[in-house]
Structure formats: C-alpha cells, structure tokens
Amino acid sequence: MKNTRSSYRSAGQRGVSLIIVLLLLVIVSILGVGAAQIATMGERSSRNDRDMQVAWQSAEAALMDAEFDIHGPVDSSRRTVFTRMANTNAFVSGCGSSGNSKGLCALETTAKPAWLTVDFTATTGAKTAAYGDFTGRSFQSGSTGSQPTGIQPSKPPRYVIEPIEDPANRDISGSTTSYIYRVTAMGFGPRDDIQGVVQIIYRD
C-alpha cells in the first residue's frame, strides 16, 4: 500500500509540473508576440518618419527652384514677369495653367488663398509649376524613368507664387509699387499620398 501511494503522489506531481510548464510557455509566447508587435510598430514609425523627411526635403528643393524662377535665368521669358514688376497681369485668379502664367496666382483678399484651393497633385493642365519648368534644372524622382537610386520622391515637387504688395512701400507717398512673393511648395515622399507643404515670403 505504501508503494502504491508514493506512485500516485509522483504521478500527480508530474501532472502539476506539466501544467506549470504549459502556462510558462503561454506566457513566453504572449511576451514574444508583444515584443514582435512593438518592433514592427517601431520599424513602421521609422519608415513613416523617413518618408516624411523625403517629402519635406523635396518641398524645400521646390522653394529654392522658385527663387531661381523669380531671379531668372536672364534668358528666361518669365524673367520679365518679376523684373521691376509694374503690374500683376501675369498672375491669374485661381492660378495660371499655361505660358508664363503657369503657377502664378493672383492674391485673393476675400476668398481662400490660392495655395489652399489649387491641386498640387495634378500634372495634366496643372495650375502649379513643377521643379525645373522655368529654370531648366532637373529633379531625380521615381517618375523620371531612370533607374531609382535609394529612396526617392515619387514625382518632382510643385509650387505656386502669389504677389503681395510690399508693406515697406505701401504706405510711402509717391513710392513705386513693389511686391514680395508668397511661395508655397508641395513635395512628395516615395508614395504620392505622402506630402509635405512649406511656404515662405520672399523679397526679390
């Protein structure tokens, strides 16, 4: 009888040990899945941050291109629009889509500003100027048709320019009207839906 009770006790202990081991395996599995999810979220967050940085840098490049657009080059037909601008005829209400008026928007004083209403993603009949349209500069992107090198914007950034009467001369009696420019640019990340918008007030 004594030996029989001992064998029952030993079998019961083995059964309890099995349950404890299974519980530990479940806990370890849950912790492992949680750690994997945290790692995945961290990687996704880093990728999103990288993609947004690409979009912001693309938009910054468009601002620089707009500055070159305003300054020249000297042989550009558009240079006459900005040189000692006597009027704002080239700046179209709702933004121009062709010729020297492309991407040039009349200043809206009673409605939403043009940069809030224009479609920066449009390329056909666009009312925005693309990087290099008037400067001849090139921009490496996924839409250029060349073999991509690393992470690139999906397409070149675009910008619009609005004239604002220079406050420095506006209240001076007899002064010649001069203008500063509000430049708004949109850059794109590796996907079209990743977008960054930047804006400056520029004095030529």
Side-chain angles (χ1 to χ4, degrees):
M1 292 294 295
K2 187 175 181 179
N3 290 339
T4 302
R5 289 177 180 175
S6 177
S7 63
Y8 284 155
R9 188 179 299 112
S10 178
Q13 290 174 347
R14 286 197 297 271
V16 171
S17 298
L18 179 60
I19 293 174
I20 293 174
V21 169
L22 290 175
L23 287 175
L24 289 174
L25 286 175
V26 170
I27 293 171
V28 170
S29 299
I30 292 173
L31 292 175
V33 170
Q37 289 180 336
I38 291 173
T40 300
M41 290 174 60
E43 190 274 336
R44 187 178 301 160
S45 176
S46 298
R47 185 170 63 246
N48 289 341
D49 183 63
R50 178 206 63 194
D51 292 349
M52 280 305 304
Q53 287 298 322
V54 171
W56 290 123
Q57 291 174 15
S58 176
E60 289 282 353
L63 289 183
M64 294 181 62
D65 192 63
E67 291 180 19
F68 281 112
D69 184 6
I70 294 170
H71 274 300
V74 177
D75 58 350
S76 170
S77 61
R78 181 127 134 166
R79 180 63 176 138
T80 57
V81 173
F82 300 102
T83 303
R84 294 185 298 277
M85 188 170 66
N87 57 63
T88 57
N89 290 342
F91 294 81
V92 180
S93 178
C95 303
S97 59
S98 62
N100 285 336
S101 291
K102 186 175 184 180
L104 301 185
C105 312
L107 185 67
E108 298 289 347
T109 56
T110 59
K112 285 185 178 181
W115 63 272
L116 281 178
T117 58
V118 72
D119 184 4
F120 281 93
T121 63
T123 54
T124 303
K127 294 186 175 183
T128 58
Y131 185 104
D133 275 353
F134 296 97
T135 62
R137 304 166 78 211
S138 60
F139 186 88
Q140 189 73 25
S141 67
S143 65
T144 57
S146 59
Q147 185 67 29
T149 304
I151 304 300
Q152 294 182 349
S154 60
K155 56 186 177 182
R158 309 187 73 88
Y159 63 88
V160 295
I161 303 175
E162 300 167 272
I164 301 174
E165 191 174 342
D166 192 344
N169 294 333
R170 186 168 49 200
D171 300 324
I172 300 177
S173 177
S175 63
T176 302
T177 303
S178 61
Y179 294 87
I180 56 178
Y181 305 99
R182 179 166 63 195
V183 184
T184 308
M186 176 178 284
F188 302 91
R191 301 195 317 267
D192 288 355
D193 61 335
I194 300 174
Q195 302 162 356
V197 178
V198 293
Q199 186 178 85
I200 61 170
I201 299 295
Y202 181 76
R203 188 189 302 272
D204 189 4

